[in-house]
Amino acid sequence: MKLQVKLALYNTLTKVSIILFTGLLILLSIEKISYNHIEVRLEEKKEATLRSLSSKEINSFLAAQKVYTDYNILKEEFITITPVKYQPNTNTKVIFTTEAKKVDKNMETYRILSNRFNFNGYTYLLQIGETIESVEELKSIIKKFTLLVLFIALVLTLISDLVFTKFLLAPFYKIIDRKLIKVNDPMNFDYEKIKTTTQDFELLDDSISSLMKKISNLFILEKQFIANVSHELLTPISIISSRLENILLHDNLSEGSENKMHASLKTLNRLKSIINSLLLISKVENNQFDKGDMVMIAEVIKEIHEELEDRIEEKHLTFTNHLKYIYSIQGNRPLMHTLLFNIINNSIKYNNLKGSITISDDLTDDIYAITIADTGAGMEQKQIDNAFNRFEKFDTDEKESYGLGLAIVKSITAFHNIKIKINSVKNKGTAVKLIFDHLT
């Protein structure tokens, strides 16, 4: 889950909790305030009733020891005076209860005040009730209103938080996108600061820029070291090779010594090939080649097929060229030749006897792509992830494999802004796809 969504959900849940707590507090407060208000009115009516005991209407019921009952027209209020067992000292404490009473075959809930009093030598129980239906209706309205407010607050809060967090985190995502995801070459890193008013994002921006500067310096040192060492090694290798070749010209050289000399020359040639490969990678990464050639892909593949025809026949491979489009790209022709040569050469090297190599192309939305597929040994996902690492060698019978072919391919594709993808299944084959974004 994205940080933006997490922040929005956290803020929303926090605010909803506050609103919910407030709503519950309002409901409880409304009930208590309403009951207190009713009780105050009941107290006032009690005092008024006690002052009216001597009235002709009430006094006639009390004298006859009958129950006096009075409901208002809507049955919302009632007063009852009931004779009870005589108590010389009545408790003047008022008791409030909530009870349901049946009135005209309907059950009504009342808040009832109960109080005992003595009058003319008798004890009576006074009960004054007031319906709480209005309180319940008010509570119901407030509940619905609270739920509505909660829902609206939830939606508005979620939307506002998502918008705000998106605005707040925009510099963060811009830093990640521009300074991490889109960085393919530390040498071309964009050190321009991302505009933000958040100090944490400024710190992150500065830290990434500082780290990339260190990586770039190390990258430059590595390139310089490889280039310098390679140049320095080529001279003594050439000298040693020349001396060994001169020794081989001697007539008195034994067969054993001659074999050892040939083995040494072969080793020196392998070392020279590795050094030349490293030099090529270094020059490509240092942009020491121009891109002034118009390279026709189909033509280069045809040349490579002719060059490797003997090796294809040696392994009895079926080579199928399904190229449908003829496109030229702006680039360096020798490098493009090396790029395609290494890929097709690997398709031969890691293929099975009587296997096949298929080259096809596709054009979608002005983006040209070619795929070189074989039916060879294939690779596991771990091998695919490490395929472009230098000196990464796979299982092969080829003694001349140094693990630099795909490293060279990666450097050349980066130099030409070509995307490369590898799809492979172990023991079923490998397909290398080159995607050319800019065509002419």
Side-chain angles (χ1 to χ4, degrees), residues 247-248 253-262:
I247 293 174
L248 284 172
L253 194 65
S254 66
E255 184 178 350
S257 298
E258 187 175 342
N259 290 335
K260 289 179 181 180
M261 292 296 174
H262 281 295

Side-chain angles (χ1 to χ4, degrees), residues 268-334:
L268 287 172
N269 287 331
R270 288 189 62 188
L271 181 58
K272 189 174 182 179
S273 178
I274 291 173
I275 292 171
N276 285 328
S277 296
L278 290 173
L279 273 173
L280 176 61
I281 293 173
S282 179
K283 288 180 179 179
V284 172
E285 290 178 347
N286 286 326
N287 297 321
Q288 294 180 3
F289 293 91
D290 59 45
K291 300 179 186 177
D293 302 328
M294 296 303 298
V295 186
M296 187 178 294
I297 302 298
E299 185 180 294
V300 174
I301 289 178
K302 184 179 179 182
E303 290 178 6
I304 295 170
H305 179 220
E306 293 173 356
E307 291 177 32
L308 296 174
E309 194 167 7
D310 291 342
R311 295 197 59 195
I312 293 171
E313 291 177 357
E314 184 182 342
K315 295 190 77 168
H316 305 288
L317 300 176
T318 302
F319 187 93
T320 307
N321 188 339
H322 282 320
L323 295 181
K324 299 174 290 185
Y325 305 95
I326 299 176
Y327 272 99
S328 298
I329 68 167
Q330 186 83 25
N332 184 283
R333 197 180 194 286

